[in-house]
Amino acid sequence: MSELLAQGPRPEDNWRRPLPPGEPVVLGRDAGAWTVPWEPYLSRRHAELIWRQGKLRVRRLSAAANPIYHSGKSDDAFDVEPLGGFVIGHTLFTLAADRLTPSSSHGGMLLESRPISHSELERLKFRDAPHRLDVLSKLPGVISSASNDADLFARIGDMLLAGVPRADAVALVEAEDGPVEVCGPEGSKPEPAIRLLHWDRRLTGEGSFDPSRRLVVEAVTKQQTILHVWSAHEPPSGEGPFTLQGRFDWAFCSPVPGEGCKGWGLYVAGRFAGDPASTVLAPISTNELRDDVKFTELVGEIVGSLRQVQVLRERQGVFRRFFSPGVLHVLSSQNAPQALEPREADVTVLFCDLREFSKKVEESAGNLLEVLNRVSSALGVMTRNIVENRGTIADFYGDAAMGFWGWPLDDPAKVENACRGALGIRAAFDAVIDNEAHPLFGFKVGIGIATGRAVAGGIGTTEQAKVGVFGPVVNLASRLEGMTKSLRVPILLDEPTAEFVRAQLPGSAARVRRLAKVRPYGLETALMVTELVPPAGPESALTDANLADYHAALEAFLAGEWVKAYELLHRLPPQDRGKDLLTGFILQYNHTPPPNWDGVIPLSSK
């Protein structure tokens, strides 16, 4: 990515900004990141810049009061090649070439490589404390107001140049995890790959900046500030040692601590400027760079701390999508590792699967991204209703989600919360059943809920683990979700869950009806399954009287009184699909129970 460099009349009046390809930006006093605060001849909206096909197109806007000079003359529209530039007032704008990859060395002979311990610097006081502390006091506000990483890197570079007067160039570097092969005196050996996040020079006309790979690797690997002093050769005039590449005599790199800045380093380089090399080679207590190194380390510590806070906030924002407030409280506590250890717990598990997904994929084979966005919206509805009702997201299975309650804190209301979450999911899909423009239109859900003993916590390997739940109750919830297809109802409960709803929840919160006694496909044991029904009202087609009629019909069906059961089932509204299983089974056997009737309906599929 190419960048535009601005250099004003004073060394500290400078910045560097990345140019977005093909997107126009406006240079001016009221131009956000593209403002030039030190330039009095710049209008509020002075010039439009467009980086395209290796050239920067510059166009003076009609609101600009002062001219733009290019190639020594005033020009209102022109193209700038890399390393070319233009002038507004007292400021030179230069188009930088693409960033370079750091080299393996500076090309000169290394006179000294010195580690500098943090404890050494702590004992030393700043010799020009007011200026350094003034710059440091502005750093938190500068970092927090950065609009993106590129802006953050540029601002850190500006702060280093402002706070390290001896620096001719600065850079923010990163040692990445992926190694590269580097040939050295001992042969080829792997070292971390180095990425140049940002670089800047005090004088922009001196070209690009190429940090020493060796110095960066040593500092970041050892997590300690390292100072290098170079010499290209012995000058015939007896002048002090210097380097050819980059014309730098010394450089140091300080690692930036913290998980949010893993592998980062602050790189500062400069020249002797007539001073003897002994001023840099001296012990740190008398070294001319001591204040510069201490200032850079403080900048690194502040950047690392603020970045870590930002990372934790972002991570908490992600966690908030999957964990209830109770789980988040445990995750943020000092005893989080112990609390997250897998243990047995009484839990309520909810499985929710999206219906008609395969059909929608086939219908939209030419626009799968739209289907993916719709599925994401559906999973968002599931996630939100689980978490908002104090549940935890355990996993996603393509177009399905699993949540559970009762861990890491025991939850006496786990069944109630799971049922509220399930009814919330059903209501969200029912609300858009006639809205063709809604992402959820055309989809239905099947939900299974079961309660029992399970192992919950951090489940997985030492390399990769996740919060999950394991046990027969999980398999049962999945089975119940699958049976919603055969029984043609949205939500099915196992018997312990249903008993709790019957005994503990008022009808204004939820209702239940036992649907049938079934033998799931592939199992020998029969199971009484119960439907979770919304409260009586506009959201439910079933009245309390309808539920009473169905209950009487089921009792007659189990007792073999099928004529009576069939008559009671016909009292239910036509749109109720929950009665279809009993009605269809009665018709299949011509209103007469089969021999040795035990009340169990075998299911032919999962």
Side-chain angles (χ1 to χ4, degrees):
M1 177 181 291
S2 287
E3 299 173 312
L4 185 68
L5 289 68
Q7 179 66 61
R10 298 177 300 173
E12 61 268 26
D13 293 338
N14 69 86
W15 55 238
R16 172 189 301 274
R17 300 288 183 264
L19 291 161
E23 297 181 16
V25 296
V26 174
L27 197 65
R29 285 208 314 272
D30 291 344
W34 292 88
T35 187
V36 187
W38 64 81
E39 181 51 66
Y41 294 99
L42 196 71
S43 300
R44 294 182 183 278
R45 292 173 57 84
H46 203 107
E48 180 188 72
L49 314 177
I50 302 179
W51 168 249
R52 183 183 292 126
Q53 298 179 348
K55 296 181 180 180
L56 180 64
R57 183 65 178 173
V58 180
R59 183 174 65 87
R60 180 173 175 267
L61 298 177
S62 58
N66 295 298
I68 303 175
Y69 291 95
H70 176 243
S71 299
K73 62 180 182 179
S74 174
D75 204 341
D76 290 339
F78 51 88
D79 292 328
V80 177
E81 301 281 350
L83 300 182
F86 58 95
V87 175
I88 301 176
H90 302 301
T91 302
L92 170 65
F93 297 90
T94 306
L95 179 61
D98 287 343
R99 293 179 180 177
L100 302 176
T101 302
S103 64
S104 58
S105 74
H106 268 248
M109 182 180 68
L110 182 64
L111 288 181
E112 181 168 346
S113 173
R114 176 188 300 175
I116 301 174
S117 69
H118 188 68
S119 59
E120 286 182 273
L121 295 173
E122 278 186 327
R123 295 192 297 267
L124 302 176
K125 296 182 179 181
F126 278 129
R127 284 173 287 202
D128 56 348
H131 172 67
R132 309 275 185 165
L133 296 177
D134 179 61
V135 176
L136 286 172
S137 68
K138 298 174 182 177
L139 186 57
V142 166
I143 295 174
S144 62
S145 62
S147 57
N148 51 45
D149 278 351
D151 189 22
L152 171 65
F153 300 156
R155 291 172 183 234
I156 293 174
D158 293 344
M159 298 296 287
L160 287 175
L161 286 174
V164 185
R166 293 177 182 82
D168 291 304
V170 297
L172 183 63
V173 295
E174 178 183 24
E176 299 179 309
D177 291 336
V180 296
E181 293 294 323
V182 178
C183 293
E186 301 176 0
S188 179
K189 60 180 180 179
E191 289 187 355
I194 303 301
R195 188 160 69 101
L196 195 54
L197 301 176
H198 177 80
W199 65 269
D200 206 348
R201 299 192 72 146
R202 196 172 297 280
L203 299 177
T204 57
E206 293 190 345
S208 59
F209 172 40
D210 191 9
S212 163
R213 177 191 297 280
R214 179 178 175 182
L215 173 54
V216 173
V217 170
E218 188 177 357
V220 174
T221 302
K222 294 181 178 179
Q223 283 296 291
Q224 185 176 14
T225 296
I226 304 294
L227 169 66
H228 277 190
V229 183
W230 292 282
S231 173
H233 55 78
E234 289 297 328
S237 63
E239 297 172 359
F242 61 96
T243 57
L244 294 176
Q245 183 174 350
R247 299 192 299 276
F248 297 119
D249 304 305
W250 57 263
F252 62 84
C253 184
S254 296
V256 180
E259 183 184 351
C261 307
K262 188 176 181 181
W264 287 16
L266 300 179
Y267 190 102
V268 179
R271 308 181 183 95
F272 291 134
D275 297 328
S278 59
T279 61
V280 176
L281 296 172
I284 193 63
S285 59
T286 58
N287 194 302
E288 288 297 315
L289 294 177
R290 56 175 253 187
D291 287 0
D292 299 331
V293 175
K294 183 169 184 176
F295 173 83
T296 303
E297 285 202 353
L298 287 173
V299 170
E301 290 180 6
I302 294 172
V303 170
S305 298
L306 294 177
R307 184 84 172 182
Q308 182 68 9
V309 170
Q310 183 182 24
V311 168
L312 291 175
R313 285 176 177 172
E314 291 175 355
R315 183 179 299 170
Q316 190 174 47
V318 173
F319 284 167
R320 195 173 287 115
R321 298 167 53 195
F322 302 102
F323 299 128
S324 66
V327 177
L328 284 176
H329 177 73
V330 171
L331 289 174
S332 61
S333 70
Q334 293 182 346
N335 297 323
Q338 181 179 354
L340 296 180
E341 282 292 318
R343 61 179 175 83
E344 285 194 13
D346 292 319
V347 299
T348 297
V349 180
L350 180 151
F351 255 94
C352 183
D353 186 47
L354 193 62
R355 300 283 183 255
E356 309 295 331
F357 173 68
S358 299
K359 180 181 178 182
K360 297 298 180 185
V361 170
E362 292 179 4
E363 293 175 350
S364 306
N367 192 4
L368 294 179
L369 185 59
E370 179 185 354
V371 178
L372 177 62
N373 291 334
R374 296 182 65 193
V375 171
S376 297
S377 296
L379 292 174
V381 170
M382 301 175 194
T383 301
R384 183 169 60 255
N385 279 278
I386 291 171
V387 173
E388 287 181 354
N389 286 281
R390 303 181 65 181
T392 297
I393 299 296
D395 216 336
F396 292 104
Y397 304 89
D399 58 339
M402 181 178 75
F404 67 101
W405 289 256
W407 177 94
L409 304 174
D410 185 32
D411 182 7
K414 55 182 174 290
V415 173
E416 176 181 356
N417 290 327
C419 291
R420 290 185 184 276
L423 290 174
I425 295 171
R426 173 181 172 174
F429 281 84
D430 288 347
V432 298
I433 196 169
D434 298 320
N435 185 359
E436 296 186 14
H438 198 280
L440 301 184
F441 176 78
F443 286 126
K444 296 181 180 179
V445 288
I447 301 173
I449 303 176
T451 301
R453 200 75 173 166
V455 174
I459 298 175
T461 65
T462 55
E463 292 79 16
Q464 185 174 13
K466 62 182 180 181
V467 171
V469 60
F470 174 80
V473 66
V474 179
N475 300 331
L476 179 55
S478 178
R479 279 274 185 172
L480 289 168
E481 175 270 310
M483 283 190 282
T484 59
K485 302 175 187 177
S486 302
L487 277 64
R488 300 182 180 181
V489 295
I491 308 171
L492 286 178
L493 313 177
D494 72 338
E495 196 56 24
T497 306
E499 282 296 330
F500 180 93
V501 177
R502 272 191 286 266
Q504 301 293 331
L505 296 189
S508 58
R511 299 176 298 167
V512 291
R513 67 165 166 175
R514 292 191 303 161
L515 278 180
K517 193 175 184 180
V518 300
R519 183 176 295 108
Y521 178 80
L523 298 182
E524 296 295 330
T525 305
L527 177 70
M528 178 62 73
V529 291
T530 301
E531 179 189 8
L532 180 66
V533 183
E539 296 182 358
S540 178
L542 298 173
T543 64
D544 289 340
N546 294 147
L547 294 183
D549 286 338
Y550 188 91
H551 176 74
L554 178 61
E555 292 297 323
F557 177 81
L558 295 173
E561 301 173 5
W562 285 15
V563 173
K564 178 182 178 182
Y566 192 76
E567 178 184 347
L568 289 167
L569 289 171
H570 273 72
R571 295 182 184 179
L572 275 76
Q575 61 267 38
D576 174 38
R577 303 301 304 276
K579 67 178 185 297
D580 291 357
L581 181 66
L582 298 189
T583 303
F585 202 74
I586 290 172
L587 292 176
Q588 179 183 346
Y589 286 91
N590 197 22
H591 294 77
T592 302
N596 302 319
W597 171 241
D598 59 359
V600 177
I601 300 177
L603 299 180
S604 57
S605 65
K606 290 185 179 180

